[in-house]
Amino acid sequence: MEIFMWWLDLDLASKEWLRENLRVAELPLPVLQGIAEAGGPHPDDVAGVLTGADWDFIETQSEFVD
């Protein structure tokens, strides 16, 4: 599922963490849970949740005021 389809439903704490830790190899469990609860991917491994395009979206398209 494309990030723009679940980003708005992601909790603010997870959004902030993702913005502050761009392109990290592993996401913490609370962020993974937040992504899954918002309708994003349910990972089999923590490194495979976000694609390069997802990180690009977080870095350039997401707004800091949600």
Side-chain angles (χ1 to χ4, degrees):
M1 177 179 289
E2 297 291 326
I3 189 170
F4 64 86
M5 297 179 75
W6 54 264
W7 180 260
L8 291 176
D9 295 325
L10 184 61
D11 63 280
L12 187 57
S14 293
K15 287 180 182 178
E16 290 175 349
W17 191 92
L18 290 167
R19 289 179 182 127
E20 293 170 1
N21 298 278
L22 285 171
R23 302 183 193 280
V24 296
E26 292 188 17
L27 303 176
L29 186 58
V31 174
L32 290 170
Q33 289 173 329
I35 290 171
E37 289 171 5
H42 295 259
D44 291 330
D45 68 273
V46 294
V49 177
L50 299 175
T51 66
D54 292 338
W55 285 115
D56 290 344
F57 175 90
I58 293 167
E59 184 174 16
T60 63
Q61 300 298 316
S62 67
E63 303 229 354
F64 282 86
V65 180
D66 287 312

